[in-house]
């Protein structure tokens, strides 16, 4: 945008998470720091996102009615979350955007508020396969 300045609070000690929602599929990993920055380093921490973070991301997406969204979330040293960036247009270079115990997969919310891990590669072709599947399910729901 022209003639616009966006300012954000500087938080000195953070863990940065890349969180993705596509339909009912959730993915997440840490964006590791190199020097002073997390973004652009290409370093990834394949750590399972905490349930509290997954619940936060689900709340943000549900509130905004976002069914396909990438969020960069800061976690400060007090465990508070800050959405640093929302990206509706995103891709993925890896066929999985989450590995838990070296297994690729996704997390799916269950009806009792838990998170279920499902093993598999769900982000092929820059996550477009999953987005098309989600779009088809939306069309199917609308027709039924």
């Amino acid at each position: 945008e022209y003639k616009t300045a966006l300012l954000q609070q500087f938080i000195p000690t953070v863990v940065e998470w890349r969180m993705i929602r596509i339909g009912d599929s959730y993915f997440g990993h840490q964006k590791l720091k190199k020097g002073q920055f997390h973004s652009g380093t290409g370093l990834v921490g394949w750590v399972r996102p905490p349930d509290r973070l997954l619940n936060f991301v689900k709340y943000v997406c549900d509130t905004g009615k976002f069914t396909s969204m990438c969020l960069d979330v800061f976690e400060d040293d007090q465990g508070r979350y800050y959405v640093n960036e929302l990206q509706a247009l995103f891709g993925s270079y890896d066929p999985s955007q989450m590995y838990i115990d070296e297994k690729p997969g996704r997390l799916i919310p269950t009806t009792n508020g838990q998170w279920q891990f499902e093993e598999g590669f769900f982000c092929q072709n820059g996550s477009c396969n999953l987005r098309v599947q989600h779009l088809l399910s939306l069309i199917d729901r609308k027709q039924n």
Side-chain angles (χ1 to χ4, degrees), residues 68-88:
S68 181
M69 184 63 69
C70 177
L71 302 86
D72 286 346
V73 179
F74 291 156
E75 180 181 359
D76 71 12
D77 56 2
Q78 302 295 310
R80 292 176 294 222
Y81 297 124
Y82 302 85
V83 176
N84 178 53
E85 191 174 338
L86 294 167
Q87 303 169 60

Side-chain angles (χ1 to χ4, degrees), residues 41-54:
T41 67
L43 302 175
V44 177
W46 298 116
V47 178
R48 185 194 186 283
D51 286 358
R52 202 167 69 79
L53 175 58
L54 290 159

Side-chain angles (χ1 to χ4, degrees), residues 29-68:
H29 57 265
Q30 290 181 351
K31 295 173 70 176
L32 299 179
K33 188 175 181 179
K34 182 177 181 180
Q36 296 181 8
F37 303 102
H38 296 266
S39 293
T41 67
L43 302 175
V44 177
W46 298 116
V47 178
R48 185 194 186 283
D51 286 358
R52 202 167 69 79
L53 175 58
L54 290 159
N55 293 335
F56 174 75
V57 169
K58 185 176 184 323
Y59 171 78
V60 170
C61 289
D62 288 350
T63 301
K65 297 183 176 34
F66 307 134
T67 60
S68 181

Side-chain angles (χ1 to χ4, degrees), residues 95-106:
S96 181
Q97 287 298 293
M98 184 170 62
Y99 291 85
I100 297 176
D101 297 326
E102 299 183 13
K103 294 180 180 126
R106 64 181 172 187

Side-chain angles (χ1 to χ4, degrees), residues 82-142:
Y82 302 85
V83 176
N84 178 53
E85 191 174 338
L86 294 167
Q87 303 169 60
L89 300 174
F90 61 92
S92 53
Y93 61 87
D94 193 299
S96 181
Q97 287 298 293
M98 184 170 62
Y99 291 85
I100 297 176
D101 297 326
E102 299 183 13
K103 294 180 180 126
R106 64 181 172 187
L107 289 163
I108 300 171
T110 64
T111 54
N112 64 358
Q114 301 297 311
W115 292 90
Q116 177 183 333
F117 179 72
E118 183 179 348
E119 187 176 344
F121 289 98
F122 298 98
C123 299
Q124 300 96 332
N125 298 314
S127 297
C128 290
N129 293 11
L130 191 57
R131 279 183 242 186
V132 169
Q133 289 173 357
H134 175 58
L135 174 62
L136 293 174
S137 74
L138 290 174
I139 292 169
D140 188 48
R141 271 188 244 161
K142 189 167 185 154

